[in-house]
Amino acid sequence: MSHLRNPRALLTPVMRHVLDRMARAGRLPLHAMPPAQARQAYEQGASVLDLPPHRLPQVLDRTATARDGATLPLRLYRPDAVPPADAGPGLPVLVYFHGGGFMVGSIATHDSLCRHLAHLAHCAVVSVDYRLAPEHRFPVAVDDAWDALSAVRAQAPAWGLDPARIAVGGDSAGGTLATVCATLARDAGLPLALQLLFYPGCSARQDSASHRHFGHGFLLDRELIDHFFGAYLRDEADRDDWRFAPLETPDLEGVAPVWMGLAECDPLVDEGLLYADRLRLAGVPVDLELYRGVTHEFIKMGRAVPEALTAHADAARALRRAFHPESGPP
């Protein structure tokens, strides 16, 4: 992409129309708002282009306890009724971490996505409300993510879940947390079925060609990225910590297999491709999908952007394959 002269020409007509509508709305950008106002604005806008929430038999609020005693809200989505305690190993489960630059986003903003993944993959999904910056800076979100994953594994039998079939997933900053948890899980001897990563942040510094080409006017602007990371990181040294930048991970051998969905017109696309290459070099199976002509956040635009529906179906297929390897290709 280093010689791309008109990156906007890559957009699909529908994606271009969505961006034009957003520009005409003239809303105050998130980086110009105080954190509480930015979170409210992001939540209010989260459902505008997202699919209507799928009705599921069971949606249950749960909690986990962080290492410092804080309570972490969780939401458990089940595509079936809760079984009796003696009904067998239970459902496989995806532990999902929402995106939002470590500063905005919540269980509520990703409710529709988690419902649809549970329905399409016929697995349980546990969505995690990790604590946000700037009130809680790095590495609190990482610690919360790992503590939540550990709690899900411990509580799995009581919640009708199978502790032997757990995947981690997330989008953007949540994808970063998911892949860090996968490395921590390997080190702890906790086998995971899959890492489900939508356009994860992977790089210590935002200086790739895709950051130059798509850093303005493609939804995730450079100013917003700088704002998010300025609020999240304690100091410049944190950038080189692999728990912030998975590309800095010294050793990726033995982590869980990966399904990764990237957006072509996204500042993060180059670092996602680089991370996929690093994983493959370490012998990790990687299934990579590059969705052409769409931007960051497209997976939450299912009302308008057809590629979102394709990505949901691809991700669900990857989950089914990971949770049921004995069934072979679908």
Side-chain angles (χ1 to χ4, degrees):
M1 295 183 184
S2 59
H3 301 292
L4 192 60
R5 293 184 179 181
N6 181 17
R8 190 173 170 83
L10 295 173
L11 293 169
T12 67
V14 169
M15 192 76 246
R16 191 179 302 116
H17 177 65
V18 167
L19 294 182
D20 288 345
R21 284 175 54 195
M22 290 180 176
R24 287 197 299 269
R27 294 187 176 90
L28 193 67
L30 295 180
H31 61 79
M33 303 178 188
Q37 184 182 350
R39 289 171 195 145
Q40 184 177 25
Y42 183 74
E43 184 162 336
Q44 288 173 345
S47 62
V48 173
L49 295 177
D50 212 345
L51 293 169
H54 189 90
R55 295 187 66 179
L56 294 173
Q58 292 285 341
V59 178
L60 305 167
D61 288 328
R62 295 287 185 258
T63 61
T65 302
R67 62 194 64 190
D68 62 0
T71 298
L72 305 176
L74 311 175
R75 185 167 294 168
L76 168 60
Y77 301 88
R78 295 186 61 97
D80 63 358
V82 177
D86 59 353
L91 281 176
V93 56
L94 168 67
V95 180
Y96 195 86
F97 307 107
H98 66 79
F102 305 104
M103 190 175 180
V104 301
S106 66
I107 286 175
T109 62
H110 286 62
D111 179 77
S112 180
L113 176 62
C114 289
R115 287 172 179 267
H116 279 88
L117 289 175
H119 168 66
L120 293 171
H122 199 74
C123 69
V125 176
V126 174
S127 184
V128 179
D129 246 346
Y130 55 91
R131 287 173 286 179
L132 300 173
E135 296 90 341
H136 304 282
R137 292 180 180 264
F138 177 85
V140 172
V142 174
D143 293 342
D144 285 357
W146 176 249
D147 293 344
L149 173 60
S150 301
V152 171
R153 183 171 184 252
Q155 294 298 322
W159 294 355
L161 309 175
D162 185 354
R165 292 186 294 168
I166 298 177
V168 291
D171 58 294
S172 194
T176 307
L177 295 176
T179 199
V180 170
C181 280
T183 301
L184 294 171
R186 177 206 60 189
D187 295 344
L190 167 60
L192 296 176
L194 187 70
Q195 302 179 58
L196 189 84
L197 310 176
F198 294 109
Y199 35 76
C202 299
S203 180
R205 287 164 184 84
Q206 290 61 56
D207 53 7
S208 68
S210 62
H211 277 279
R212 293 193 299 273
H213 290 312
F214 305 118
H216 297 282
F218 291 84
L219 195 66
L220 183 62
D221 284 354
R222 179 57 186 260
E223 293 84 358
L224 183 57
I225 296 173
D226 289 345
H227 178 67
F228 281 156
F229 292 168
Y232 178 54
L233 299 174
R234 298 167 298 185
D235 52 43
E236 189 65 16
D238 282 343
R239 285 187 173 273
D240 297 307
D241 191 310
W242 68 270
R243 296 171 299 169
F244 169 72
L247 275 168
E248 303 299 316
T249 309
D251 175 22
L252 291 168
E253 184 177 358
V255 301
V258 171
W259 180 91
M260 188 184 300
L262 302 177
E264 181 184 23
C265 303
D266 181 356
L268 305 188
V269 65
D270 283 354
E271 58 198 76
L273 293 169
L274 285 171
Y275 192 61
D277 287 343
R278 279 283 320 277
L279 289 161
R280 290 186 180 112
L281 285 172
V284 178
V286 177
D287 183 4
L288 175 68
E289 296 288 345
L290 178 63
Y291 299 94
R292 299 288 182 178
V294 294
T295 70
H296 200 80
E297 196 84 350
F298 82 97
I299 62 164
K300 296 178 75 279
M301 301 180 184
R303 291 180 192 263
V305 178
E307 288 78 7
L309 305 182
T310 304
H312 296 170
D314 291 343
R317 189 180 304 112
L319 285 167
R320 293 195 303 270
R321 189 179 297 138
F323 288 143
H324 307 282
E326 71 284 352
S327 63

